[in-house]
Amino acid sequence: MLEYFKQTYLVKFWNPLPAIIALGILSTYYFGLSGSLWAVTGEFTRWGGHLLQLLGVDISRFGYYKIQNMNGTPLTRNDGIMVIGMFLGCLIASLWANNFKLRFPQSSIRVAQALIGGIISGFGARLAMGCNLANFFTGIPYFSVHTWVFTICMIVGIYLGSKVVKLPCFLPKAQPFKVNSQKSIIVSQKRGKILFLLGCVIFLLSVLWIVYLTYTSPVPKNKTMPILGMALGFGISFGFIVARAQICFTSAFRDLFIMGRSQMAKALIIGMAISSIGVFSYVMLGNGLKISWVGPNTVLGGLLFGFGIVLAGGCECGWMYRAVEGQVHYWIVGIGNIIGTMLLAFSWDYYGETLATSWPKINLLQVFGNYGGLMVNYALLFLSFLIVIWLQKRFFKHKAQNISKTYL
């Protein structure tokens, strides 16, 4: 019984649809209980700011860091402790499944892709005030028009990126060679047991940390209970589910354009539809919403972010769980992300007002009324679902036509 449970739920990868539905429900409860969004690049921006402070840079003169609430540390902020929890959840999942192994990039072009793609996506995410979480998966259910603009531009960026990475200069340079026999794959059961036990130890320590934070952290204003312990628990859950189901927002649309796969894209839309009604319920109970500017920053940021995540090979969720699996390529992507946020912060004062802060913040619930805004959001999600189906059919139709031309 225990071995069946281990193989089914801890070793084998999960179906993305129920996993994404679970993420949608969890992110809704996280919003309702903590008042925070499930988001990561805002916290990565603060990490970059803290790094600059350690290097002696006075970040108070940069307007973007004033927007980002640099108070506290990653260990005392809800977002900080949640992101740390995500890394822990991803690590626990990789250890339990025996997926942890150091793997290095096989070519210099891959290193360049990781760093440059990470910088572009980090810069784009913060220019648009959010990544594929705050501006897409957990953003669209929050009824801000800027999330829909970002999503459209992100998908265009992913499409352009999927074309660029197929250029000859980005293709693997490995040369085929003849072998005399099939190479046997040796799986060390001892190594698997050691990693599984290590995962159990980290899990137990994480639970103790949650209990400690629950009983020792202060109760924030307008809340009836401590938040930090809960944020850590949600973060571990987010990371574990993302790793077990291999959730990557890059692949959701990149694979749709390159291979005609629509399973992940459809699952994301269903997850957002479920999350929308939950968020709406909390809004009716008085929770505030994150609404951002609908300006050129959203358009440019979405395009850059979508292009960058394809060039890098993974979005924020994607590089996080791959990094803790030991893939060094995605360590570089993460470093690039933080560098990108720094570059945005350094340059924001030159164009922030023109591209962002002078533009309006538009809330669907205010424009169309509470129930009208909810219906508009669902109508847009339904339209998105139909477009995904159309793109899939269009892909295979063109593929069939190309095959028939080949044999004529």
Side-chain angles (χ1 to χ4, degrees):
M1 180 65 73
L2 290 177
E3 184 62 25
Y4 172 81
F5 177 86
K6 176 184 174 182
Q7 293 297 323
T8 304
Y9 298 105
L10 303 182
V11 176
K12 293 181 180 178
F13 291 127
W14 296 356
N15 185 320
L17 178 56
I20 288 175
I21 289 175
L23 289 173
I25 294 172
L26 281 173
S27 64
T28 302
Y29 277 111
Y30 181 62
F31 164 70
L33 295 173
S34 71
S36 301
L37 295 178
W38 175 30
V40 295
T41 53
E43 184 60 23
F44 291 150
T45 304
R46 299 182 192 102
W47 291 9
H50 290 317
L51 178 60
L52 291 172
Q53 287 177 317
L54 289 175
L55 296 175
V57 178
D58 179 14
I59 66 172
S60 64
R61 57 194 178 93
F62 298 110
Y64 198 81
Y65 286 123
K66 294 178 182 177
I67 298 174
Q68 288 302 310
N69 183 21
M70 297 294 297
N71 296 329
T73 71
L75 294 175
T76 61
R77 286 190 299 262
N78 293 350
D79 290 348
I81 209 75
M82 187 276 293
V83 171
I84 292 171
M86 281 190 67
F87 279 113
L88 284 173
C90 292
L91 178 60
I92 292 167
S94 69
L95 292 172
W96 278 349
N98 195 15
N99 286 338
F100 182 84
K101 181 181 179 181
L102 280 177
R103 285 157 280 187
F104 295 89
Q106 297 301 307
S107 65
S108 58
I109 189 65
R110 290 289 288 157
V111 174
Q113 279 184 252
L115 183 60
I116 297 172
I119 291 173
I120 293 173
S121 60
F123 185 95
R126 296 324 304 164
L127 179 61
M129 304 303 294
C131 63
N132 47 270
L133 288 175
N135 275 0
F136 175 56
F137 184 69
T138 59
I140 285 177
Y142 292 83
F143 306 102
S144 179
V145 171
H146 91 279
T147 61
W148 282 104
V149 176
F150 174 88
T151 299
I152 293 169
C153 296
M154 177 187 70
I155 293 172
V156 173
I158 290 174
Y159 176 78
L160 295 175
S162 67
K163 296 296 183 182
V164 170
V165 295
K166 291 195 294 184
L167 295 175
C169 61
F170 293 109
L171 296 178
K173 300 299 188 294
Q175 297 294 326
F177 60 92
K178 184 178 180 181
V179 296
N180 297 321
S181 61
Q182 182 178 352
K183 183 178 180 179
S184 59
I185 299 176
I186 301 175
V187 179
S188 172
Q189 293 184 349
K190 181 180 179 180
R191 179 181 182 276
K193 290 180 180 180
I194 292 173
L195 291 182
F196 186 82
L197 289 174
L198 179 59
C200 291
V201 170
I202 295 175
F203 174 75
L204 291 175
L205 291 175
S206 299
V207 172
L208 292 176
W209 192 10
I210 292 172
V211 174
Y212 173 78
L213 289 175
T214 300
Y215 283 97
T216 60
S217 58
V219 178
K221 294 181 180 179
N222 302 321
K223 297 295 180 182
T224 59
M225 58 183 175
I227 302 298
L228 287 181
M230 181 175 61
L232 179 61
F234 272 101
I236 292 171
S237 300
F238 289 143
F240 187 84
I241 295 172
V242 163
R244 292 309 321 128
Q246 301 284 282
I247 304 297
C248 181
F249 298 88
T250 306
S251 64
F253 297 101
R254 180 195 61 201
D255 292 355
L256 181 62
F257 295 134
I258 295 178
M259 293 176 282
R261 294 179 181 173
S262 64
Q263 183 185 26
M264 189 71 74
K266 291 176 181 176
L268 290 172
I269 294 171
I270 293 171
M272 288 187 289
I274 293 172
S275 181
S276 292
I277 190 63
V279 171
F280 180 77
S281 300
Y282 278 118
V283 171
M284 293 297 99
L285 293 173
N287 280 46
L289 289 172
K290 176 194 174 185
I291 307 296
S292 192
W293 307 284
V294 187
N297 68 306
T298 307
V299 176
L300 293 173
L303 289 170
L304 289 171
F305 179 77
F307 182 88
I309 58 178
V310 175
L311 184 63
C315 62
E316 268 58 24
C317 288
W319 76 252
M320 288 176 73
Y321 76 76
R322 292 177 178 122
V324 297
E325 288 176 353
Q327 299 187 49
V328 177
H329 173 97
Y330 293 99
W331 299 2
I332 302 171
V333 174
I335 293 170
N337 263 201
I338 294 177
I339 293 174
T341 69
M342 293 179 182
L343 294 176
L344 187 279
F346 291 155
S347 59
W348 175 262
D349 293 329
Y350 294 101
Y351 51 75
E353 183 177 0
T354 302
L355 297 184
T357 58
S358 62
W359 292 79
K361 296 181 178 182
I362 305 176
N363 182 346
L364 289 175
L365 300 182
Q366 292 178 347
V367 174
F368 297 100
N370 290 333
Y371 293 100
L374 178 65
M375 291 301 103
V376 168
N377 217 39
Y378 272 120
L380 291 171
L381 285 170
F382 181 69
L383 177 62
S384 302
F385 196 87
L386 294 179
I387 292 174
V388 168
I389 294 174
W390 176 77
L391 287 172
Q392 183 185 32
K393 290 183 177 180
R394 180 175 178 270
F395 175 88
F396 286 110
K397 180 180 179 181
H398 285 187
K399 185 177 181 180
Q401 290 174 346
N402 292 334
I403 292 175
S404 63
K405 289 180 182 178
T406 303
Y407 290 97
L408 288 178

